């Protein structure tokens, strides 16, 4: 005699029982987060140093100096987080090469507008990265990302003000 198929309710219960931990698992991996965050910071610092050399505008230079002054402290926090999680940080040489390639976007006659737009887009991306980590990372990553969100929001607001002062033509 054929064995009866398990009741539908039992199958659903088993699916929920085994799938719930998978659904609740963090969706933002600390390794990926650190790699992207460190790469963004290196590119931001390189762009800011370029802005100090090439910009003719006091507000662009002020913003660039703030990036240079603030990012080393943020990098130290990110490095400490990476160490505490035994997450590998990409090599500086690789990050600098990647940043140089990205900075080619800033070549042109209207440097200040290009820089302002570039920084605005970069901070929008960084804010999205940190927001995702704050919402979908594991507990430690969420806490780290949440602590950094106010500063990122402030930098994005400043970058948006630069884009209004120096619009792309």
């Amino acid at each position: 005699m054929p064995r009866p198929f398990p009741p539908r309710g039992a199958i659903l219960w088993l699916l929920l029982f085994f799938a719930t931990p998978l659904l609740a698992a963090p969706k933002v991996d600390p390794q990926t987060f650190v790699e992207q965050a460190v790469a963004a910071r290196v590119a931001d610092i390189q762009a800011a140093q370029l802005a100090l050399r090439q910009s003719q505008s006091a507000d662009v230079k002020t913003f660039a100096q703030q990036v240079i002054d603030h990012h080393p402290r943020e990098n130290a926090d990110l490095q400490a987080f990476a160490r505490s999680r035994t997450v590998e940080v990409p090599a500086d040489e690789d990050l600098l090469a990647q940043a140089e390639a990205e900075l080619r976007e800033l070549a042109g006659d209207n440097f200040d507008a290009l820089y302002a737009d570039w920084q605005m887009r970069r901070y929008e991306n960084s804010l999205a990265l940190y927001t995702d980590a704050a919402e979908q990372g594991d507990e430690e990553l969420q806490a780290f990302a949440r602590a950094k969100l106010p500063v990122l929001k402030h930098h994005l607001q400043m970058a948006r003000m630069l884009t209004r002062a120096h619009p792309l033509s």
Side-chain angles (χ1 to χ4, degrees):
M1 176 170 189
R3 194 169 201 193
F5 197 76
R8 197 177 311 182
I11 293 172
L12 287 175
W13 184 86
L14 284 171
L15 283 173
L16 283 174
F17 179 78
F18 289 108
T20 299
L22 296 174
L23 295 173
K27 295 179 177 136
V28 176
D29 172 52
Q31 179 67 49
T32 303
F33 170 81
V34 167
E35 289 172 1
Q36 292 175 355
V38 169
R41 297 223 185 267
V42 168
D44 288 346
I45 290 171
Q46 294 300 310
Q49 290 172 342
L50 182 65
L52 288 179
R53 290 190 306 271
Q54 291 191 8
S55 177
Q56 301 301 314
S57 303
D59 58 345
V60 170
K61 288 184 175 190
T62 298
F63 178 81
Q65 190 61 55
Q66 288 176 351
V67 168
I68 290 169
D69 292 344
H70 187 262
H71 276 46
R73 187 175 36 227
E74 292 299 314
N75 280 345
D77 291 348
L78 196 52
Q79 297 277 346
F81 173 77
R83 276 191 308 278
S84 76
R85 298 300 303 272
T86 60
V87 168
E88 228 175 284
V89 177
D92 285 346
E93 316 77 58
D94 298 336
L95 295 174
L96 289 171
Q98 181 182 340
E100 286 176 20
E102 291 178 38
L103 293 179
R104 291 188 190 114
E105 289 182 42
L106 301 179
D109 294 334
N110 196 3
F111 176 83
D112 291 339
L114 292 169
Y115 176 74
D117 182 68
W118 189 86
Q119 281 290 32
M120 183 186 70
R121 288 183 286 121
R122 299 289 301 186
Y123 277 106
E124 287 172 345
N125 291 340
S126 289
L127 185 61
L129 173 68
Y130 277 74
T131 299
D132 287 349
E135 294 171 356
Q136 300 175 18
D138 62 34
E139 202 172 304
E140 288 178 65
L141 180 55
Q142 285 182 4
F144 177 82
R146 279 190 199 115
K148 302 303 177 187
L149 284 173
V151 171
L152 285 170
K153 288 176 182 177
H154 176 69
H155 283 201
L156 176 57
Q157 180 183 10
M158 290 171 37
R160 285 180 174 155
M161 288 176 13
L162 277 183
T163 62
R164 287 191 290 276
H166 304 279
L168 287 171
S169 31

